[in-house]
Amino acid sequence: MCETVLVIMCFIMLDDYQTLQDPTLKNLSGSALQCLRSPWAGPYEGWFRVDTDASIKKWYKGGYGAIARDFKGDVRAAAAGSSKHSMVYNLVKGVKLGLEIAKNHGLNRIEVTTNYLFIYRLITFQYELCEDGDIIVKPVIDEIRSLMENDIEDVQVLYTTRAANKAADHLSKLFKEVEGEIEPHEFDKKLKKIINDDAACALSICAEPKRDKNFDLDELF
């Protein structure tokens, strides 16, 4: 099996396990528990956070999504799309889509996030695809790097937690047939609640640290 697939499967299982084992979940209630479940932290003022994610539906269809918000959690743009390709392909398509909506809306200082360590390392030149994973993914990676270097003034790629990436995850699960932006008046109730919870937590003391993790895989082993 391609190393790419193995790495992603391992990190998904690791993240789920660590969440379930967290002893602090048993001792929290009310707003603190809500904030732990949605520990979204906004960027510094003047910057924009672009969360990205992807999903697979019954192994035959993938979706991806991206959402850009300011330091208060107000939405500046959101978009989604789908494909019949692999999870890795949809993940990088989500990152590319996030960069494109930032470019199209004039957001020149952004933090683009992913909750997949492999994708973080891939985009930041710390990891390369195995040979049989290059065919359709590599061109998207090249487009991502071009957008980062040529079209947006300042880009930071950050690793975030799954709990802090619910909005992008929800967008990816729409499996939108035609890739494109989704206007705020088109948001469903669940997405609106996620966005509101994230915004509330961004202003609270229980939000995740101001910086997400510039993660090194070596720290896990």
Side-chain angles (χ1 to χ4, degrees), residues 35 38-42 71-73 197-205 207 210:
C35 229
S38 179
W40 189 85
F71 74 105
K72 294 180 179 179
D197 288 348
D198 285 351
C201 197
L203 300 175
S204 76
I205 60 172
K210 194 67 177 178

Side-chain angles (χ1 to χ4, degrees), residues 64-83:
Y64 50 92
I67 181 168
R69 288 174 281 186
D70 63 18
F71 74 105
K72 294 180 179 179
D74 293 333
V75 177
R76 294 304 183 95
S82 64
S83 80

Side-chain angles (χ1 to χ4, degrees), residues 19 33-40 49 51-53 55 65 67 69 113 115 160-173 188 190-195 197-198:
T19 299
L33 180 58
Q34 176 183 333
C35 229
L36 182 61
R37 290 172 175 167
S38 179
W40 189 85
R49 174 166 169 159
D51 293 315
T52 72
D53 205 2
S55 300
I67 181 168
R69 288 174 281 186
T113 77
N115 58 271
T160 190
T161 62
R162 296 180 74 188
N165 206 28
K166 292 179 181 179
D169 174 66
H170 184 84
L171 287 164
S172 73
K173 287 181 170 64
D188 59 32
K190 184 174 181 180
L191 180 57
K192 288 179 180 178
K193 184 179 187 306
I194 292 170
I195 291 168
D197 288 348
D198 285 351

Side-chain angles (χ1 to χ4, degrees), residues 167-185:
D169 174 66
H170 184 84
L171 287 164
S172 73
K173 287 181 170 64
L174 297 178
F175 300 101
K176 194 173 185 297
E177 291 293 336
V178 179
E179 180 185 287
E181 292 196 27
I182 301 172
E183 298 298 326
H185 71 269

Side-chain angles (χ1 to χ4, degrees), residues 60-116:
Y60 66 85
K61 186 174 185 179
Y64 50 92
I67 181 168
R69 288 174 281 186
D70 63 18
F71 74 105
K72 294 180 179 179
D74 293 333
V75 177
R76 294 304 183 95
S82 64
S83 80
K84 294 182 179 180
H85 298 301
S86 69
M87 182 65 168
V88 178
Y89 178 82
N90 284 285
L91 283 166
V92 295
K93 283 286 287 184
V95 174
K96 177 174 175 281
L97 183 60
L99 292 168
E100 288 174 337
I101 62 174
K103 174 187 174 182
N104 293 340
H105 287 264
L107 311 181
N108 290 320
R109 292 183 175 180
I110 67 169
E111 299 172 348
V112 59
T113 77
T114 176
N115 58 271
Y116 288 84

Side-chain angles (χ1 to χ4, degrees), residues 98-146:
L99 292 168
E100 288 174 337
I101 62 174
K103 174 187 174 182
N104 293 340
H105 287 264
L107 311 181
N108 290 320
R109 292 183 175 180
I110 67 169
E111 299 172 348
V112 59
T113 77
T114 176
N115 58 271
Y116 288 84
L117 294 172
F118 171 80
I119 298 300
Y120 163 75
R121 294 199 73 173
L122 186 63
I123 294 169
T124 55
F125 299 93
Q126 299 179 47
Y127 204 90
E128 295 297 332
L129 291 168
C130 57
E131 292 183 2
D132 57 344
D134 283 353
I135 299 174
I136 62 172
V137 175
K138 190 176 185 305
V140 184
I141 293 293
D142 291 341
E143 290 178 290
I144 287 171
R145 290 172 176 169
S146 177

